[in-house]
Each structure stands twice: as structure tokens, then as C-alpha cells.
């Protein structure tokens, strides 16, 4: 099987790129498994000082792959729960990775792609990138990514974006806290490199402790996150097999409006 990731090491920085540009780096079960393993490996590798997560091509990540969505629409509630638990574990392992993480947001991010950005310590994106948490348009909710997105952008912003499913641009993403910095595309690598320069001057053990400290002061720890993730996996599984979820997924896959849309 062709790898869904491109992984390179340079100057003690591990660059992990989602490598499905033909589908805008959309998730499927294989990508989720590979990315979880890659993050865990980077966290354990003493030669790695920082991790840069990005996408190949024009997009960061479009979220769920269409074929994956199609298979989940036909799956049982338990199968959907198991599937959602694997995605939740990916987000959790990225959030609590002991190494500093930078999201190099090279283009659009939707759904789970937004979740990946929210889980990184630092996020730098390009002008013109678009974002969205569009699950409600499918009769679903952004369940497994919700703790991480809310931690990044705050409850007030999350309530609006979870409910409307609206698209927003890079300037709005920076304003609400999803991105720390927005730069022209030609300056993206320089901006990431500048941040890596700051990180390289700090003690690695102190950085790991500082990350745990910051998350802990916000009431976030990995054991508690795992319990929340399992509850949210159960929620999204229930919604996927519900009448409204089935209608929303079916309408999306058939490229038609769902029955609840008026006008």
C-alpha cells in the first residue's frame, strides 16, 4: 500500500505531510492509522526536537474522504463508534505529543483538518486558506474534534461555528485563535523556520513540561481526554446511523440538498 504520509527529518525537525493531494489530503482509516503512529514515533524519538505537520499540494486537509464516508454511512453503530474512537485517538495523541508541534497550514482545512490544526501548539497559515466545521450540514456534529477546537478558539466562537457550519477565511481563523500567524504563501516556509528557530533555543525537557503545565492549568490531561473522546465517539456513531444523519450523508454523497433545507 502506498504511504499516505511523507516524512522527512532535517536539523532535528520531523516534517510529517499528509500525502493525498489528489483528494485534498482527506482522511481515511489508513491515513488515520499512519498519522497516529507517526506522531507517537516522533514523540518517542529523542533525536526529534520539533514536529511540523502539513499537507502536500494545495490543501492542508479536506476532512473525511468520500469513500470513507460512504462506508461509514453503511456501517453499524458499533463500527462507527470504533472508527470514531480511532480518529479521536489521533487528535489526542497530537494534542499531548511531548514535542513542540507546528501546523504548517498550506491551504484549506475542513472538519478533522481543523481538528489537527487545533491540536498543534503553533499554527501558521497562508493567506487565502479557507476553513469550516460543516458537520451540521450533514446532520452530524464535530464530536471527536470538539474538545480540541474549543480549547483553541473558545466556547463562544465554537458555538457559532458548530451551529452554522459556515466557511471562514484565514484572517477570521487568526482572529478567533485557530491560527497564530497568517502570511503570504511565498513566506510560509520562512515563517515556520523562524518559529523553529525560537523552539531550538529552549530546553527540550522544559518544553515538554511547559506543554504539560499549560494544558494542565486549562484542566486538560490525557486520561481525562480519553474518557471524553470515548463519549464523543459514541455520540457521533449514534448520529451517523440516525435518520437525520443517514439523510444528510446520503444527500451529500448524492450531491443534493438534504430534506431539511428549505428554499
Amino acid at each position: 500500500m502506498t504511504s499516505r504520509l511523507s516524512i522527512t527529518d532535517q536539523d532535528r525537525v520531523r516534517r510529517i505531510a499528509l500525502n493525498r493531494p489528489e483528494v485534498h489530503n482527506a482522511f481515511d482509516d489508513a491515513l488515520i492509522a499512519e498519522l497516529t503512529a507517526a506522531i507517537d514515533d516522533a514523540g518517542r524519538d529523542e533525536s526529534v526536537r520539533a514536529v511540523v505537520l502539513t499537507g502536500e499540494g494545495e490543501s492542508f486537509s479536506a476532512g473525511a474522504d468520500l469513500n470513507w464516508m460512504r462506508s461509514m454511512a453503511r456501517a453499524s453503530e458499533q463500527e462507527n463508534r470504533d472508527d470514531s474512537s480511532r480518529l479521536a485517538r489521533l487528535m489526542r495523541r497530537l494534542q499531548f505529543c511531548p514535542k513542540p508541534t507546528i501546523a504548517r497550514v498550506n491551504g484549506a482545512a475542513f472538519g478533522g483538518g481543523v481538528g489537527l490544526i487545533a491540536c498543534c501548539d503553533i499554527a501558521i497559515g497562508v493567506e487565502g486558506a479557507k476553513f469550516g466545521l460543516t458537520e451540521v450540514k450533514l446532520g452530524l456534529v464535530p464530536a471527536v474534534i470538539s474538545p480540541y477546537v474549543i480549547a483553541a478558539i473558545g466556547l463562544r466562537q465554537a458555538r457559532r461555528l458548530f451551529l452554522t457550519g459556515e466557511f471562514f477565511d484565514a484572517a477570521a481563523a487568526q482572529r478567533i485563535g485557530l491560527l497564530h500567524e497568517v502570511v503570504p504563501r511565498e513566506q510560509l516556509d520562512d515563517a515556520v523556520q523562524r518559529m523553529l528557530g525560537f523552539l531550538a533555543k529552549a530546553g527540550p525537557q522544559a518544553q515538554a513540561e511547559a506543554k504539560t503545565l499549560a494544558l494542565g492549568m486549562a484542566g486538560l490531561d490525557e486520561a481525562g481526554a480519553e474518557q471524553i473522546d470515548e463519549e464523543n465517539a459514541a455520540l457521533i456513531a449514534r448520529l451517523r446511523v440516525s435518520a437525520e444523519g443517514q439523510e444528510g450523508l446520503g444527500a451529500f454523497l448524492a450531491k443534493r440538498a438534504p430534506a431539511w433545507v428549505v428554499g
Side-chain angles (χ1 to χ4, degrees), residues 51-112:
V51 177
V52 174
L53 180 63
T54 191
E56 299 289 1
E58 294 298 311
S59 299
F60 182 77
S61 175
D65 176 87
L66 284 177
N67 288 327
W68 183 45
M69 289 177 66
R70 189 173 286 111
S71 68
M72 288 301 99
R74 296 192 298 263
S76 68
E77 184 170 348
Q78 184 59 53
E79 288 170 330
N80 269 286
R81 182 169 182 167
D82 293 343
D83 174 80
S84 297
S85 293
R86 288 188 286 270
L87 179 59
R89 182 175 184 271
L90 165 60
M91 298 295 164
R92 187 171 67 252
R93 299 304 294 153
L94 179 57
Q95 170 94 322
F96 293 98
C97 178
K99 306 298 172 65
T101 53
I102 298 177
R104 177 188 177 273
V105 185
N106 56 301
F110 302 106

Side-chain angles (χ1 to χ4, degrees), residues 6-240:
S6 173
I7 301 175
T8 56
D9 287 352
Q10 184 175 3
D11 299 326
R12 304 192 69 182
V13 175
R14 180 153 298 171
R15 180 184 183 273
I16 303 174
L18 310 184
N19 190 25
R20 304 186 74 208
E22 70 282 0
V23 291
H24 301 281
N25 299 316
F27 294 166
D28 63 6
D29 52 355
L31 187 147
I32 290 169
E34 283 191 41
L35 185 52
T36 303
I39 291 164
D40 286 347
D41 183 64
R44 290 189 297 263
D45 192 333
E46 294 184 1
S47 72
V48 175
R49 286 290 310 274
V51 177
V52 174
L53 180 63
T54 191
E56 299 289 1
E58 294 298 311
S59 299
F60 182 77
S61 175
D65 176 87
L66 284 177
N67 288 327
W68 183 45
M69 289 177 66
R70 189 173 286 111
S71 68
M72 288 301 99
R74 296 192 298 263
S76 68
E77 184 170 348
Q78 184 59 53
E79 288 170 330
N80 269 286
R81 182 169 182 167
D82 293 343
D83 174 80
S84 297
S85 293
R86 288 188 286 270
L87 179 59
R89 182 175 184 271
L90 165 60
M91 298 295 164
R92 187 171 67 252
R93 299 304 294 153
L94 179 57
Q95 170 94 322
F96 293 98
C97 178
K99 306 298 172 65
T101 53
I102 298 177
R104 177 188 177 273
V105 185
N106 56 301
F110 302 106
V114 174
L116 291 178
I117 297 168
C119 289
C120 287
D121 300 312
I122 301 162
I124 303 171
V126 295
E127 295 174 350
K130 299 296 182 184
F131 305 86
L133 296 158
T134 59
E135 287 84 351
V136 286
K137 296 178 181 179
L138 305 180
L140 305 174
V141 294
V144 298
I145 66 171
S146 62
Y148 311 104
V149 173
I150 292 170
I153 70 175
L155 178 59
R156 188 64 173 165
Q157 298 293 347
R159 285 169 65 176
R160 169 178 170 166
L161 295 172
F162 285 11
L163 289 169
T164 64
E166 66 192 272
F167 297 115
F168 55 100
D169 61 17
Q174 183 178 26
R175 186 172 64 250
I176 66 177
L178 182 64
L179 297 178
H180 292 98
E181 189 175 351
V182 176
V183 297
R185 183 171 297 276
E186 64 272 15
Q187 296 178 21
L188 180 59
D189 287 330
D190 287 343
V192 170
Q193 196 60 42
R194 183 170 62 251
M195 197 60 60
L196 288 169
F198 294 145
L199 293 172
K201 295 176 182 178
Q205 185 60 43
Q207 285 176 329
E209 294 290 352
K211 186 168 182 174
T212 300
L213 173 66
L215 291 168
M217 289 298 98
L220 303 173
D221 66 82
E222 193 163 1
E226 184 173 4
Q227 178 60 41
I228 292 169
D229 285 345
E230 287 305 310
E231 293 170 359
N232 284 336
L235 169 61
I236 190 60
R238 175 169 57 82
L239 291 178
R240 282 182 186 171

